[in-house]
Each structure stands twice: as structure tokens, then as C-alpha cells.
Amino acid sequence: MLVEGNSIHATARMAGVSVNAVLRLFAAAARFSSEYQDRMLNNLDCRRIQLDEIWGFVYAKQKNVPTAKSAPPQAGDVWTWVAIDPDSKLVASWRVGDRTQETATEFVQDLEGRLAGRIQLTSDGYHAYINAVGSAFGEHVDYAMLAKIYSPAEVDQRKVVLSGDPDPDHISTSLVERQNLTMRMSIRRFTRKTNGFSKKLLNHAYSVALHFMYYNFIRAHASLDGLTPAQAAGVADRPYTMGWLVEKVERAQPKPNRPSFYKPRQRQVA
């Protein structure tokens, strides 16, 4: 339910369980999803990667933080940086944070460490990508920006080659922008004008990790002939199921510290 656009409270109502039960399962599944993908998404044989970032907020929008009641230190705007392979639709890397040069560099360096060979890279016109790509890849990348110039009449696109020899026909950010729409439709916290937004940054990051676990390994894509992106990229040999995820989460949970024998309580008779 959570990966199909429902909020925590809506999921609790539909499942007939407490909100705390949903939160515990949500956090446990997200932690496993993050650790599993960090382990599996390595040595990726990708040829092209598209980069983009999607806006969200925690507790309150940035402009409302000064007047928000009891706003936590991490309240305000938050960005999710996404790298996707347009051929397999695999999301190879992501990072939740601010929109600074430091975060951009950390994000691109993480992506570079997960790739097996040289790629063609396309980003939008955000200036932080220039230094981030140069720092992570050096000259070992075919990199171009797709800068959008907005006017009252139309939106003009300009392709700017910054490194190597990228194929002009594949200088595009269309698929990663479509992934942004998928996130807004599938993650309640990203829906615009909703009261289901994240109240804590950690839960916001959890929702992203769980979404990409479902998107990469479980959800079949019609455009991939029914395969998951992980299958199409050669990361998985079969589509995973929610049952598989639940079993893995249960195994990863610490065993309750309970005595092997319970002494029954003596009932007092008046």
C-alpha cells in the first residue's frame, strides 16, 4: 500500500492495524531496502545515465519554517537526486539532501563508483553538476547538459557538450523527468498539496529507499516486456515479490529478548 501512493494513516485504516505497526514495518523494510540496493547496485553495465533532482519538503516548506510551530532542525526544502539508466530503467543511485554543490558531488561520486565502464551522461542545466561530474569522472565520460530556456511563448532546449563525444540523439533527460512523476504518484510524501508530507527527514529518506526497491526489483514494466529494471540491467535473475521482501525483512529483524519459559501468574481468589 505504501509504495502505491497511500499514506501511513490510510494504510493503517485499510489494513486494520495501528499506525505504529505500519511505521515499524515501513522503517524496517526501508532499512533493508537501502542496505540491499547499496550492496547489489555495483559494477553496473550501463551505457547511458540521466540525472535530475526532485523537490520536496520536511515538516514545512522553506519559506514557512521561520513561522512554523516546533519546527525540527531539518525542516524545510529537501531534494532527491536521481540517476537512471534509460535503457533498463534502473535507478542506479540516489541521494536525499539539500541542493548544494557538496551534495551534488557526493551524489555523482557515488554513481561513478557503481559503474563498470564509460558512459554517456546527461543532466539538466543546474551548474552544480559541472564540478560534480568533473570531480567524479574527470575526462572519462561523455557528458552533455540539456539546458532549458523558458520564455512566455515556449520552452527552448539547448544541448551543451562539456566532456567527451556524446551522441546528440541521446542527449535527453526525458526518462528521469518521467521518473519524477512516478515518484510523485507512488510516494504520498511527494504528492503536491497533500497533508501526507514527511514530518521527519529520516522517514522521507526511508520512503525513497522503499520506493526504489519496489521500482527496481519488484514492479514489472510493460515497456521492458514484463521484466523489472533489475532484470533488464542484469542485476537480478528473476522478478522479486512483496512476499520475498517481507520474508527478508522478518529475517533481518532482531529476535525478541524473551525468556524461553514463562511462569504463569497466580490468580488471587477473593
Side-chain angles (χ1 to χ4, degrees):
M1 293 177 185
L2 293 174
V3 295
E4 290 291 356
N6 292 288
S7 66
I8 295 290
H9 284 80
T11 300
R13 288 193 298 270
M14 287 187 288
V17 298
S18 70
V19 171
N20 287 337
V22 177
L23 284 171
R24 284 195 298 270
L25 177 60
F26 163 66
R31 285 193 295 267
F32 170 81
S33 298
S34 179
E35 294 168 0
Y36 184 82
Q37 290 179 98
D38 184 47
R39 186 169 66 252
M40 296 294 292
L41 300 180
N42 284 290
N43 199 32
L44 300 175
D45 187 21
C46 301
R47 297 181 180 179
R48 296 183 288 137
I49 292 289
Q50 297 179 11
L51 306 179
D52 199 13
E53 64 282 352
I54 178 174
W55 170 84
F57 67 93
V58 172
Y59 196 83
K61 296 178 182 178
Q62 195 68 46
K63 63 180 181 180
N64 297 329
V65 171
T67 58
K69 183 179 179 180
S70 303
Q74 297 173 323
D77 293 349
V78 61
W79 295 82
T80 303
W81 305 68
V82 180
I84 191 170
D85 176 0
D87 297 314
S88 65
K89 294 189 176 181
L90 182 79
V91 174
S93 178
W94 71 89
R95 180 167 291 269
V96 176
D98 54 23
R99 203 169 182 242
T100 62
Q101 180 65 65
E102 181 181 2
T103 304
T105 300
E106 292 173 353
F107 165 62
V108 178
Q109 286 178 344
D110 179 77
L111 170 66
E112 190 278 333
R114 299 182 184 279
L115 301 172
R118 190 184 182 101
I119 62 165
Q120 174 166 330
L121 190 66
T122 306
S123 72
D124 60 17
Y126 185 42
H127 62 85
Y129 284 118
I130 299 176
N131 291 333
V133 173
S135 173
F137 289 93
E139 297 297 324
H140 304 289
V141 64
D142 300 311
Y143 174 44
M145 272 186 167
L146 186 65
K148 295 182 179 180
I149 304 172
Y150 296 89
S151 66
E154 60 181 356
V155 179
D156 186 30
Q157 294 185 342
R158 183 177 61 185
K159 299 178 181 180
V160 181
V161 176
L162 297 175
S163 177
D165 185 27
D167 184 349
D169 293 337
H170 292 298
I171 300 176
S172 172
T173 57
S174 298
L175 190 64
V176 71
E177 290 171 357
R178 180 60 181 84
Q179 167 58 215
N180 291 347
L181 175 60
T182 300
M183 293 178 69
R184 294 212 182 275
M185 295 171 62
S186 303
I187 308 175
R188 186 62 173 174
R189 299 163 189 270
F190 282 79
T191 305
R192 295 189 181 274
K193 297 183 178 181
T194 179
N195 61 357
F197 55 86
S198 298
K199 314 307 185 291
K200 297 179 180 179
L201 180 60
L202 180 60
N203 286 345
H204 193 85
Y206 278 168
S207 68
V208 174
L210 184 59
H211 165 75
F212 285 133
M213 184 71 196
Y214 179 65
Y215 177 89
N216 279 336
F217 289 89
I218 298 176
R219 178 179 172 181
H221 292 245
S223 60
L224 297 175
D225 296 327
L227 300 177
T228 65
Q231 284 181 280
V235 177
D237 58 359
R238 69 189 190 283
Y240 295 172
T241 65
M242 274 298 180
W244 174 90
L245 178 58
V246 170
E247 181 181 354
K248 292 293 185 181
V249 170
E250 288 180 343
R251 289 184 179 180
Q253 292 303 296
K255 295 182 179 180
N257 186 20
R258 297 174 180 172
S260 59
F261 174 75
Y262 288 90
K263 183 177 180 180
R265 297 177 61 183
Q266 299 294 327
R267 296 183 59 186
Q268 295 182 357
V269 180

